[in-house]
Every structure is written in C-alpha cells, then in structure tokens.
Amino acid sequence: MAYDTQYDVIVCGGGTSGVAAAIASARTGAKTLLVERTGTLGGQMNLSGPPGFAYARLFNPQGKRDVGGIVEETYQRLLKAGHALPHLRYPYREKAGFTFSYIDPEWWTILMFEMMEEEGVELLLDTLVVGVTKDGNTATGIVVENANGRNELKGSIIIDCTGEGYVAAHAGCEMDCVSRDEIQPHTLAFTADGVDWDRLLTYVREHPDQFQYKQLMNPYTDNTHEAVMQVYSKCHDIRELGEVMGFYELRDMAMKNGDWHPYSGVGFFIVPREDGHIQAHFQHSSQWDHSLPTDAWDLTRCMIECRKQNLIAWRFFKNYVPGFEHAYITKVCTELRLREGPRIVGDYILTREDVAECRQFEDTIGKSSFKAGGYHVSNVNTLNVNQDDPRMSWPKDGGSYDIPYRCLVPKTVDNLLAAGKCVSTDRPAYLRYLHQTMVTGQAAGTAAGLCIKKGITPRELEKDVKELQKLLLDQGAVLFECPVK
C-alpha cells in the first residue's frame, strides 16, 4: 500500500499544543499531518492528566478574559454536549485569577479525533520522530520509526509540539534547560471515584484552618486569609472549591506514623463526568526530582518512584481522610507530568520582566496572566508560592501580558516552529500550562499555513504579522484587548 510522504505542514506531537496546531494549520488549507508517538491524542490533558489545570485561568484577576480561540471553542462544544462545567468564576477565585473551566478529559480526547476528521488533518499514531532532515539550515522533513520501520516524511514546515523540544533538538536548534540538580520535580497523576463529598465537606467546614490559601493570594488582590477560611467554612459544593489542598493535621499525623511520604503535600482537583458526576483527580501526590526529560533512565526512575509515592498517598486518603473510605482509583495516567524541560532559544525570549510589566508586543499571538517563577519543590509544601520570593512575579495590576510570535521561531533553523512548553522563554516565564500551550499551538499552526500560502519562511513572516493576527482574531483568539465577560 502506498502512503503520502509529502505535506505542507507536519506537526510533531499530538498533545494539547499539537492538536491546536494541526487544527489551525488545516483551517488555512494546508495539507497537514499530525504525528504522535502514542496511540491517542491528549498529552497533558489526559495522558499525563492535569484536568485540574485543564482550562484554568482563562480570566485575569481583573475579571477579563485573556484566552480564547480553540480553547474556548472546544470548551463550548463540550459544555453544550454536557461534558464540561460552566466557567467557575467565584469572586474570591477571580480576584486571584485562579478560576476553573473544568472539562471531561476523556470526552475532550474524543472531540479532538472528531475535529481532526472535520478539518481534514491526517493522523499518524504510534510513531516516534527520531530525526529531522535538513538542507543547510532549513528543515525539510522528519525521520520516523513505527511498525513500518524507519521512513522519511517531507514537510515544507515542521512544528515541534513534543513538549520537551525533542524535534527542535534533532534539528540542531539552540536549546536552554536547567541542570539535573535544579529541575522541577515531575509527577504521575491518578483519578478516583466513590468519594462521599458530603462527608468530606463536613470535615472541610469544621476544619477550615487545615487547608491551603496562599494560591489565592497575590499582590493585586484584597483576598485575606480570613476571607478564604470563610469560604471553606461555608462550602457545601465541591465545585466551589475546585481544588482542596492541605489536610495539614491529618498529614502530620500520618507522617509521624510513617503513612505519608515527604515529597509532596496533600490534595486533589476535581473532574466532571457525565450527568454532573464529580471525581477526584490527584496531580500533586507524587514528586520526584533530579530527572531530566532528555534522559530515559531518569524518566524510568521517576515513573517508578512516583508510583510508589502514589500508593502511599492513596492509602493515606483511604485511612485518614473522611469521605474516602469507599473510594477507588479509576485511572492512573500513562505518562509522567513533566513540569520542566528544554526550551528553544528563539528570535525573542519572553522574560520574567515581561510578565511582571504586562508587556505588549506588536507581534502578539496571544495572552496570559499566569505568574512567573512559581516552581514545584519536592517537599510537603509542593509549591514555592510566596509573594516575597524574588524569583516570582505577578503581572502588574492583575493584568495580562502578550506572547510574541518570535517566541515560536528558533534561531538559525528555518521552516521550523515551536509551540507548547518548549517555546522561547527564560526559566521563570516558562509557558507550560495547558491553556498556554494551546494558545501557542493555534498560533504556530496558523502561521505555518499562512507561510505556505505566501511562499515564505516563518522567520520572514516576522516582518509583518498583521494577516496572522487577523486570522487568529477571526478564530476568537484574544490578542489586544481583553474583553470583560
């Protein structure tokens, strides 16, 4: 059987940035191939699994929307079909810019397959990209390995959506990454059902001081510790909390008894399922550091250790936490949630200062209001959320900052774009969160298709991005002004 080997755009990686890039590319009329090393689509939506941060933070602390486009389009489709919760914009959360727009990750994946067919994207699953073909400094295609052996596929433009920049590295792009000693810990998430939410919330209301509040503080909110405790003490609907982190007294008791590990704190997010059913999703119950995503031995050890920690965590919840007595695990993610990895060095490097100053750029392709410098740590604090930490910066006045197109264009290598976690930033401004990856994915796919039409390289497109911006705006992206809604 003969297969196509020549495409306009090849998207490498079928995670959150990759599906957005492929949809956007195909919508320009470009012949688009999406290559994914597993047998499904989803990446950090369901393979490594953080529905807790699925479509979180779509509104900044001013209450203005700063993320739209394919993120909002897919959210609305799932909401209409009964596979999402309405935007949960409770005032105390909106002040901190930490709101949730929960979706069912399994139905999201089903929707992605439907949209690939709707847009005419060709899929190649169970296929690993092992190399990039080049003509001088210009990428001309990729080398893949799968059940058919090793083959070359030609593409006029290649988009690296692998998360860790594996394709860009194969192409010889300059990359930046912290050392094994500095890298954030990774985790393995799992989901549980059978929780007695009434029993759990009774405990929460009676012990509000046992739960975390710092994630709801930033320099531009008037939230207070007391105000957050009031929310905990009056909550009768788990959806109002969205996440529950803390259980300090129970955790400390378990630590003394040898029933909790010292590598992360205690807590979970929620997952909506059909007919309004809610499950608990654990994405902070295991953390293992000193593991580089570029070292398979590191990743193997990390997977082993995280599974051990998750077993300890689950026994803790079953034996110590009210409401979990009859709960049961329904899913253990198949991939590690990699919190940090290599980034390309692009024609522009987004910085912590850009985040702090809410900088705007003429070549903006999207926005975000997520803080810079919030790192995970492998101890019971889980996160280093501290307003006084000099590494952390919140966007000033609770606003949003721009993401420049040039962050997607690697230096020295042409006809290659990056999207998702590996775009060009300094370490504090790392754009790893799910909605950010889809924003850059949509922009990269649209840019690639536009370059095919114009017969130019992605670097040449930097000279005038107005048409790119118009195409993104037509698809509902937020680029210039954040609407109040």
Side-chain angles (χ1 to χ4, degrees):
M1 184 174 179
Y3 298 99
D4 285 344
T5 58
Q6 181 74 47
Y7 297 88
D8 294 327
V9 177
I10 299 178
V11 179
C12 303
T16 50
S17 64
V19 295
I23 291 168
S25 170
R27 284 177 174 174
T28 68
K31 182 181 179 182
T32 304
L33 174 70
L34 175 58
V35 181
E36 163 58 30
R37 67 180 176 83
T38 71
T40 189
L41 305 174
Q44 56 175 315
M45 180 65 83
N46 61 9
L47 290 177
S48 58
F53 271 98
Y55 284 166
R57 299 183 186 265
L58 307 187
F59 304 84
N60 67 24
Q62 297 175 0
K64 297 178 179 179
R65 171 186 293 284
D66 59 10
V67 176
I70 291 175
V71 171
E72 180 65 13
E73 177 187 345
T74 53
Y75 168 78
Q76 290 296 339
R77 287 182 64 162
L78 290 168
L79 181 66
K80 184 177 180 180
H83 303 306
L85 297 178
H87 292 305
L88 302 179
R89 300 175 63 185
Y90 299 107
Y92 80 104
R93 283 201 167 275
E94 190 154 87
K95 289 178 182 178
F98 192 7
T99 58
F100 297 115
S101 303
Y102 278 119
I103 60 174
D104 183 324
E106 304 301 335
W107 278 98
W108 182 90
T109 295
I110 292 171
L111 175 61
M112 290 306 105
F113 276 95
E114 290 177 349
M115 293 183 74
M116 295 301 145
E117 188 169 358
E118 289 169 4
E119 304 298 341
V121 175
E122 186 172 334
L123 295 177
L124 184 59
L125 305 178
D126 290 307
T127 297
L128 181 65
V129 180
V130 296
V132 175
T133 58
K134 294 168 65 180
D135 181 3
N137 288 326
T138 300
T140 59
I142 59 173
V143 181
V144 300
E145 287 187 354
N146 53 25
N148 298 73
R150 177 175 284 222
N151 290 282
E152 291 186 8
L153 302 172
K154 295 300 180 182
S156 298
I157 295 180
I158 312 300
I159 307 178
D160 185 345
C161 294
T162 61
E164 282 59 54
Y166 298 127
V167 173
H170 283 314
C173 295
E174 182 181 354
M175 310 294 291
D176 189 17
C177 187
V178 297
S179 69
R180 182 179 274 106
D181 291 336
E182 297 176 280
I183 199 163
Q184 292 184 69
H186 312 303
T187 188
L188 185 69
F190 65 95
T191 305
D193 206 341
V195 182
D196 184 335
W197 293 115
D198 289 337
R199 180 164 164 72
L200 174 70
L201 287 172
T202 297
Y203 178 84
V204 172
R205 290 192 299 271
E206 293 175 351
H207 303 84
D209 60 323
Q210 294 300 306
F211 297 93
Q212 193 176 102
Y213 67 95
K214 288 185 178 180
Q215 74 273 30
L216 297 169
M217 306 291 147
N218 68 48
Y220 306 106
T221 180
D222 58 2
N223 278 349
T224 64
H225 177 207
E226 292 73 20
V228 177
M229 292 302 102
Q230 278 292 307
V231 172
Y232 284 128
S233 66
K234 296 179 179 180
C235 182
H236 289 265
D237 186 345
I238 192 63
R239 293 172 296 184
E240 184 175 348
L241 298 181
E243 58 152 355
V244 184
M245 295 293 295
F247 299 97
Y248 301 130
E249 194 173 86
L250 297 178
R251 180 202 67 193
D252 293 345
M253 185 190 310
M255 289 281 286
K256 290 180 181 178
N257 296 337
D259 294 332
W260 186 257
H261 61 79
Y263 302 107
S264 66
V266 177
F268 57 87
F269 290 79
I270 65 171
V271 179
R273 305 312 299 262
E274 293 183 78
D275 298 322
H277 191 69
I278 301 294
Q279 294 182 332
H281 182 72
F282 298 80
Q283 62 187 53
H284 291 158
S285 293
S286 60
Q287 296 193 132
W288 193 252
D289 54 13
H290 291 77
S291 299
L292 290 174
T294 52
D295 189 312
W297 300 104
D298 280 0
L299 295 179
T300 301
R301 173 51 56 187
C302 187
M303 178 69 84
I304 293 169
E305 295 298 333
C306 284
R307 287 180 179 275
K308 290 180 181 178
Q309 292 175 26
N310 281 343
L311 181 58
I312 295 169
W314 185 241
R315 286 172 177 164
F316 163 81
F317 271 92
K318 291 280 287 183
N319 295 326
Y320 285 82
V321 180
F324 279 84
E325 294 86 351
H326 303 293
Y328 48 91
I329 293 175
T330 59
K331 175 183 177 180
V332 178
C333 289
T334 55
E335 290 189 352
L336 290 167
R337 185 171 176 230
L338 299 173
R339 292 202 179 96
E340 191 163 20
R343 309 174 305 280
I344 67 164
V345 176
D347 285 344
Y348 186 82
I349 300 173
L350 188 72
T351 68
R352 178 178 62 187
E353 291 72 25
D354 294 332
V355 172
E357 295 300 319
C358 286
R359 289 211 171 107
Q360 298 179 334
F361 298 91
E362 289 187 0
D363 63 336
T364 177
I365 48 82
K367 288 183 176 291
S368 180
S369 53
F370 208 94
K371 63 182 178 293
Y375 303 128
H376 277 252
V377 289
S378 53
N379 60 46
V380 293
N381 294 321
T382 304
L383 281 165
N384 70 326
V385 179
N386 184 343
Q387 291 187 26
D388 299 322
D389 191 324
R391 297 174 298 178
M392 296 188 69
S393 295
W394 280 262
K396 70 177 182 180
D397 301 326
S400 304
Y401 53 92
D402 287 353
I403 302 170
Y405 168 68
R406 288 163 292 158
C407 289
L408 316 184
V409 184
K411 286 186 174 180
T412 70
V413 178
D414 283 321
N415 286 352
L416 179 69
L417 286 164
K421 294 189 292 182
C422 64
V423 300
S424 179
T425 72
D426 66 9
R427 190 191 185 201
Y430 192 30
L431 300 177
R432 74 177 177 90
Y433 291 97
L434 192 150
H435 61 287
Q436 296 170 326
T437 67
M438 292 188 71
V439 167
T440 56
Q442 182 173 3
T446 306
L450 185 57
C451 287
I452 296 298
K453 278 188 174 182
K454 290 178 170 291
I456 61 175
T457 68
R459 199 178 321 279
E460 290 173 321
L461 184 62
E462 292 178 9
K463 298 173 185 176
D464 186 355
V465 298
K466 290 184 178 62
E467 189 172 351
L468 168 61
Q469 291 170 331
K470 183 182 183 304
L471 289 172
L472 291 172
L473 289 169
D474 289 345
Q475 296 178 52
V478 179
L479 302 187
F480 304 115
E481 297 297 325
C482 296
V484 181
K485 61 177 182 179

